[in-house]
Amino acid sequence: MSEDFTSIDKLGEFGLIQALTEKIPLQKASTVLGIGDDAAAFEHLLELSLCSSDLLVEGVHFDLTYVPPQHLGYKAAVVNFSDIAAMNGRPSQLLINLGISNRFGLEYLQELYRGIKLACEVYEVDLVGGDTTSSFSGLLISGTAIGSVPSERLVKRSGAKPNDLVVVSGDLGGAYLGLQILQREKSVFEADPDMQPQLAGNEYVLQRQLRPEARTDVVELLESLDVIPTSMIDLSDGLSSDLLHLCEASKTGVHLYEEKLPIDDQVFELAETFSLNASTVALNGGEDYELLFTIDLKDHDKIKGHPHLSVIGHMTDLEEGRHLITPDGNRLALQAQGWNSLLKQQK
Ligand code: ADP
Ligand code: MG
């Protein structure tokens, strides 16, 4: 964090908003009016509009001792873009609401906005507004993303049918292990402030936790492959819980194959360091922001062997139940354990 501290009390709400949002170029044709009026205006000709919010609360969703403000801003934007991608859409506008205490100076908030602006650049989204207020309970950041999708390409959670293939993008479990490393280094530091954090070598999982990406590229890829998923969700809670959401909404069962789970080598190694089973981490670790979707069997050839996509199972009749099939053929009931299971498993 910068050494400079400009009190936000001195700037006032108007001065602060101006300092944070000046020089933001608008680049989307769909943005008619950006920051500066009572509401932003946009139009999505011929497409459905999509809208999604996420609220991040200090102490609940992030810990300021190890999350740099620029990364926090980036993540606050990207988690919203991910929800738009999960509807098979593209994000185009973003609003950011802030609750801040005078503990934060202008310099800190400018860093936060550097991250938000970077995410907007990378994903070609316009920052078009928000609200700013004081908070007595730490930092609150809420993002609202607006996007669009041609109506025939909209994908809901509820469209999967028995025999559809279950597909996931990227790899799983990294963000959870990144968090484990940050928490471990925080407790080492609290015990002895002279200790330097040992983060080297763990860059991949740290990036997965601190600076996640939304898989809007997968939305583009599916369009170029001429595939419309039958159902889709983004992975925020963990594969087990989110897959169960698809099954619930679609009224199906599922067979998920443990040996097919995409897991990075670094995740395997680190799981061992933390005495965790890598598959359990992949199943229950949250915040990977990959896309989980189902496709009709007839589309299998179109995605087969694609390096960013793994077929990890198939939907079944509801009566079959929802199971993880282990490499030795055992069937375990899939459970939405989220992070609890990981805590229990840790020695
Ligand atoms: P109002 O009082 O009508 O809600 P504000 O004075 O709060 O308007 O906001 C003025 C303009 O600045 C609006 O366009 C609003 O969307 C924008 N704005 C306010 N806070 C933020 C923020 N944290 N990030 C981005 N834009 C913001
Ligand atoms: Mg206001």
Side-chain angles (χ1 to χ4, degrees):
M1 191 153 100
S2 161
E3 294 297 309
D4 296 331
F5 186 91
T6 307
S7 160
I8 51 178
D9 292 342
K10 260 195 278 168
L11 288 162
E13 186 189 341
F14 186 72
L16 175 64
I17 294 171
Q18 211 173 22
L20 295 179
T21 62
E22 67 185 350
K23 290 190 234 124
I24 296 191
L26 298 177
Q27 46 179 340
K28 301 303 277 190
S30 55
T31 306
V32 179
L33 195 58
I35 290 172
D37 217 307
D38 292 301
F42 56 90
E43 61 183 343
H44 292 119
L45 298 170
L46 306 177
E47 296 201 345
L48 291 178
S49 297
L50 301 168
C51 191
S52 177
S53 281
D54 249 305
L55 174 61
L56 302 179
V57 177
E58 180 182 350
V60 180
H61 302 99
F62 58 90
D63 183 330
L64 289 176
T65 41
Y66 51 68
V67 178
Q70 192 174 346
H71 287 81
L72 183 59
Y74 194 88
K75 186 166 178 173
V78 158
V79 296
N80 285 290
F81 302 161
S82 178
D83 281 322
I84 300 290
M87 306 305 290
N88 208 27
R90 294 176 172 81
S92 48
Q93 285 84 18
L94 176 71
L95 294 107
I96 291 286
N97 299 322
L98 289 179
I100 38 180
S101 69
N102 51 16
R103 183 156 61 90
F104 301 96
L106 174 65
E107 293 74 14
Y108 182 91
L109 297 172
Q110 279 175 323
E111 277 298 301
L112 187 79
Y113 266 72
R114 238 187 288 284
I116 293 169
K117 285 178 203 171
L118 179 62
C120 285
E121 263 168 47
V122 170
Y123 289 88
E124 295 177 12
V125 168
D126 287 346
L127 181 63
V128 295
D131 200 14
T132 311
T133 183
S134 47
S135 155
F136 299 116
S137 56
L139 185 61
L140 300 152
I141 311 178
S142 167
T144 299
I146 289 152
S148 66
V149 60
S151 56
E152 70 281 6
R153 298 195 65 86
L154 177 74
V155 178
K156 299 186 279 191
R157 294 181 180 183
S158 56
K161 303 173 305 305
N163 298 323
D164 283 357
L165 298 174
V166 178
V167 186
V168 70
S169 66
D171 56 76
L172 304 170
Y176 178 81
L177 288 175
L179 183 63
Q180 296 310 298
I181 295 206
L182 291 166
Q183 286 176 342
R184 179 186 73 189
E185 295 310 316
K186 182 186 173 183
S187 29
V188 169
F189 179 79
E190 281 172 345
D192 178 2
D194 291 332
M195 288 290 285
Q196 285 305 304
Q198 302 277 307
L199 300 175
N202 300 315
E203 287 80 4
Y204 179 64
V205 296
L206 289 168
Q207 181 219 317
R208 295 289 282 168
Q209 168 58 225
L210 291 172
R211 197 181 180 291
E213 301 292 354
R215 298 307 306 257
T216 50
D217 61 320
V218 172
V219 173
E220 310 272 343
L221 174 68
L222 290 171
E223 186 170 17
S224 70
L225 296 174
D226 193 26
V227 174
I228 299 179
T230 51
S231 70
M232 183 145 66
I233 190 169
D234 68 324
L235 291 179
S236 51
D237 295 343
L239 177 64
S240 296
S241 329
D242 291 323
L243 180 55
L244 286 172
H245 286 313
L246 289 187
C247 291
E248 275 300 319
S250 298
K251 302 189 176 57
T252 62
V254 69
H255 284 173
L256 180 65
Y257 294 92
E258 184 180 352
E259 65 208 12
K260 304 253 163 108
L261 297 177
I263 301 176
D264 188 81
D265 287 345
Q266 197 173 96
V267 170
F268 270 116
E269 282 165 31
L270 279 171
E272 201 162 307
T273 311
F274 284 99
S275 310
L276 292 165
N277 176 301
S279 299
T280 313
V281 171
L283 284 165
N284 299 310
E287 297 196 295
D288 284 320
Y289 295 103
E290 294 296 339
L291 290 177
L292 174 70
F293 55 93
T294 53
I295 60 168
D296 193 287
L297 260 182
K298 75 170 166 29
D299 287 332
H300 187 202
D301 282 347
K302 299 182 190 165
I303 65 140
K304 200 155 73 184
H306 198 284
H308 291 299
L309 303 177
S310 308
V311 177
I312 57 175
H314 59 86
M315 292 304 208
T316 65
D317 287 330
L318 183 62
E319 298 70 41
E320 287 267 317
R322 294 143 188 179
H323 291 105
L324 176 74
I325 319 281
T326 65
D328 48 16
N330 283 330
R331 285 180 175 212
L332 308 175
L334 262 189
Q335 281 170 338
Q337 295 172 331
W339 301 23
N340 294 335
S341 66
L342 289 159
L343 296 177
K344 267 187 247 139
Q345 198 193 5
Q346 222 160 9
K347 287 169 199 131

